[in-house]
Amino acid sequence: MDGSSYLYRAYHALPDLRNAQGEPTGAIYGVLNMLRRLATDYKPDYLACVFRCQGQDFSRRMVCRVQGAPPAHAHRPRAPESSPCTRRVTALGWPLLMIDGVEADDVIGTLARQAAEAGMRCVVSTGDKDLAQLVNPASP
């Protein structure tokens, strides 16, 4: 599950819910509901939630350096801080993957390829259209 993609989507799609201390909770609520739904619908043998680490990652640095362009998502509003959400994801029992300097979709792509090579069926849940390149025919 692409935690970064789901957090960004929930942050911009859900109302500005806050707890008694005034801390934003709407995006976290949205992500946790999506995690629960995935686990209920698919009943996976293995699962993981992948977030990108804060800071610029390797693939974006390379694209900017080669093309001499600003980052691909420079026009987007800033993404929410992921640490309050990641603490709750792990509290639900989901393994959390965050690899410094590597974008979440690169981690997900690597895991999906390893699963396919091991003969496992893999479901990737994300809003990132770049990951459509991982789709292959389902095995019976």
Side-chain angles (χ1 to χ4, degrees):
M1 190 263 210
D2 185 346
S4 296
S5 171
Y6 274 62
L7 181 60
Y8 185 85
R9 178 186 290 182
Y11 180 77
H12 291 288
L14 296 175
D16 185 22
L17 303 174
R18 294 185 177 267
N19 64 16
Q21 291 74 38
E23 301 165 327
T25 58
I28 295 168
Y29 174 77
V31 170
L32 296 182
N33 279 336
M34 288 182 247
L35 289 173
R36 286 187 191 108
R37 181 68 188 255
L38 284 169
T40 300
D41 288 355
Y42 291 96
K43 297 176 183 26
D45 293 326
Y46 305 98
L47 49 81
C49 186
V50 182
F51 281 87
R52 78 180 282 249
C53 290
Q54 297 299 320
Q56 196 173 38
D57 54 69
F58 172 76
S59 58
R60 284 207 174 107
R61 284 194 313 266
M62 288 306 296
V63 167
C64 294
R65 188 175 303 143
V66 171
Q67 296 178 351
H73 304 296
H75 65 285
R76 288 187 181 172
R78 185 174 170 88
E81 171 63 42
S82 63
S83 60
C85 189
T86 58
R87 288 193 301 271
R88 286 156 181 88
V89 167
T90 56
L92 278 180
W94 280 67
L96 181 70
L97 294 170
M98 296 174 71
I99 300 176
D100 191 33
V102 181
E103 194 171 346
D105 61 353
D106 294 331
V107 174
I108 292 167
T110 300
L111 293 172
R113 184 172 182 158
Q114 289 173 340
E117 288 171 356
M120 300 167 75
R121 181 173 172 253
C122 179
V123 174
V124 175
S125 182
T126 182
D128 189 335
K129 293 178 183 115
D130 290 342
L131 288 173
Q133 63 188 318
L134 297 173
V135 176
N136 59 26
S139 310

